[in-house]
Amino acid sequence: MLFLGAFHYGVWLCQIPLLLALLDVLVPLKSPPHGYWAQWANLCDVSKGEEQYNDAEVIVEGEGGYDRSKNYLLCYMPHSLYMYCLWTIRRYFIDKHGISVFFTGADVIFQVPIWRRIMTWWGCTRVSAEAMKKTLQIPFPHNVLLLSPDGIAGMFYGIEHEQCVLHRRRGFCRIALQTGASLVPCYILGANELYFRKFGPASLAAKISHNLHFSMVYWTGRFGVPFGFLPRPQKLVVALGSPIDVVKTEQPTKEEIDALHEKFTVAVKMLFDKHKHRMGREWVGKRDRLYLETEQPPSHMTKKVD
């Protein structure tokens, strides 16, 4: 439609975004830290709005546990529709530790003109193992990388019960061992209820998304608006656990990866159980336990997709 409006009808409102897209493709894209634009990221910061709109509470364990000489892989869970509390977490690290957090994004992001550059200005990097290893070598003040291990699959979980995709996700543990980056468990209580998502993990949309590595999720925002950006005014608790120190091992064994994964899984579940009371008795009555994707919640949910 843009091409039709720009070239056939000569509409300048269509010509401008096409010219900008062409310019974006011609100018090489620099990954963070060189492609990061701190002033732009600060201008876009909506952390105060997130905290006020959602009555968000940030709980941090091991407050002084961030060493400037080390790197940290912060594992954000659950993914839900998207990483809604990214700006709140970013603001915490800037204010308390002087750290500008980088975060990972699906490869498809870097194929969309203009949007890929905006995401890079915010500090978005590719989620591939090679890119993550490179980013986890960047020194302070960019020594924290945020990753959502459950990714696209996580968009289809947590609809009825608190559930995340973690059991089958072990690649981030391998990367942490290979780089020596400490793992930081992070769980956002209430994130699964910000938007109403229609399709669960056994749906056709979930299977297509899994095969295409691209989200086909359907959601409604506040007031039932389809694909609405405005979320429900849902209380949130942003819980950051104490960093899990990791000994650098260039060629980690399966046993070492499994051991670190088990340690991280226990830490995430403990983080959830420790702070779930902050969400209120009614919320706990509905979502009193955190399930992994391989565990069966007491519902009609059946077959699941990675």
Side-chain angles (χ1 to χ4, degrees):
M1 291 179 66
L2 282 174
F3 274 107
L4 184 64
F7 297 109
H8 184 72
Y9 295 104
V11 180
W12 66 270
L13 284 176
C14 296
Q15 294 172 348
I16 290 176
L18 281 177
L19 290 174
L20 290 175
L22 178 61
L23 180 63
D24 177 80
V25 172
L26 294 176
V27 177
L29 187 68
K30 296 181 180 179
S31 60
H34 303 293
Y36 173 67
W37 187 1
Q39 292 80 3
W40 167 259
N42 291 331
L43 180 65
C44 299
D45 192 320
V46 294
S47 58
K48 294 298 182 183
E50 287 180 350
E51 294 171 18
Q52 294 175 8
Y53 182 80
N54 297 105
D55 188 23
E57 182 180 7
V58 181
I59 306 298
V60 182
E61 299 179 357
E63 187 75 32
Y66 293 95
D67 189 336
R68 293 189 175 189
S69 64
K70 297 176 62 175
N71 287 84
Y72 297 87
L73 181 58
L74 193 157
C75 298
Y76 178 112
M77 304 190 78
H79 186 287
S80 187
L81 184 62
Y82 68 98
M83 294 184 290
Y84 180 82
C85 290
L86 172 63
W87 292 105
T88 297
I89 294 173
R90 175 184 177 275
R91 177 49 54 190
Y92 161 76
F93 275 97
I94 289 177
D95 292 345
K96 297 295 183 180
H97 304 283
I99 297 174
S100 294
V101 176
F102 290 159
F103 62 98
T104 59
D107 286 344
V108 68
I109 290 175
F110 300 94
Q111 298 174 13
V112 182
I114 302 176
W115 180 242
R116 67 180 190 139
R117 194 166 299 272
I118 292 175
M119 293 289 285
T120 303
W121 289 343
W122 285 341
C124 184
T125 67
R126 294 180 182 272
V127 76
S128 66
E130 182 180 355
M132 288 179 60
K133 290 177 186 178
K134 184 177 180 180
T135 306
L136 286 171
Q137 296 176 5
I138 300 175
F140 177 87
H142 307 299
N143 54 327
V144 174
L145 176 64
L146 187 149
L147 165 74
S148 183
D150 48 357
I152 291 175
M155 297 182 180
F156 298 92
Y157 284 84
I159 296 175
E160 297 180 0
H161 299 273
E162 210 62 22
Q163 191 174 25
C164 61
V165 182
L166 180 57
H167 180 77
R168 299 189 182 98
R169 298 293 195 257
R170 297 171 188 260
F172 70 96
C173 292
R174 178 189 297 275
I175 292 172
L177 285 165
Q178 291 174 334
T179 60
S182 298
L183 288 179
V184 181
C186 172
Y187 199 88
I188 316 299
L189 293 90
N192 278 321
E193 298 164 282
L194 288 170
Y195 298 90
F196 174 76
R197 289 163 289 148
K198 177 66 175 178
F199 303 115
S203 65
L204 178 62
K207 295 176 182 178
I208 294 175
S209 299
H210 171 70
N211 292 328
L212 296 181
H213 303 286
F214 182 81
S215 173
M216 299 292 289
V217 66
Y218 171 82
W219 79 88
T220 57
R222 191 174 184 181
F223 309 119
V225 178
F227 302 107
F229 181 76
L230 187 65
R232 300 173 181 177
Q234 167 67 43
K235 177 176 173 58
L236 298 174
V237 173
V238 182
L240 289 171
S242 299
I244 301 173
D245 290 332
V246 176
V247 178
K248 185 176 181 179
T249 309
E250 293 186 1
Q251 297 295 332
T253 64
K254 181 180 182 301
E255 291 72 22
E256 291 172 325
I257 295 172
D258 290 344
L260 179 59
H261 184 272
E262 177 64 22
K263 189 174 184 180
F264 177 82
T265 301
V266 171
V268 170
K269 288 197 169 187
M270 288 181 63
L271 195 64
F272 175 85
D273 290 333
K274 184 176 180 179
H275 300 292
K276 63 184 180 182
H277 70 278
R278 299 176 183 273
M279 293 295 294
R281 184 174 299 178
E282 182 179 353
W283 189 91
V284 174
K286 296 184 296 182
R287 295 174 176 262
D288 64 327
R289 179 183 169 187
L290 174 60
Y291 297 90
L292 301 186
E293 77 278 17
T294 52
E295 298 174 328
Q296 184 67 43
S299 71
H300 63 274
M301 296 174 66
T302 55
K303 185 179 178 182
K304 297 173 177 56
V305 178
D306 288 352

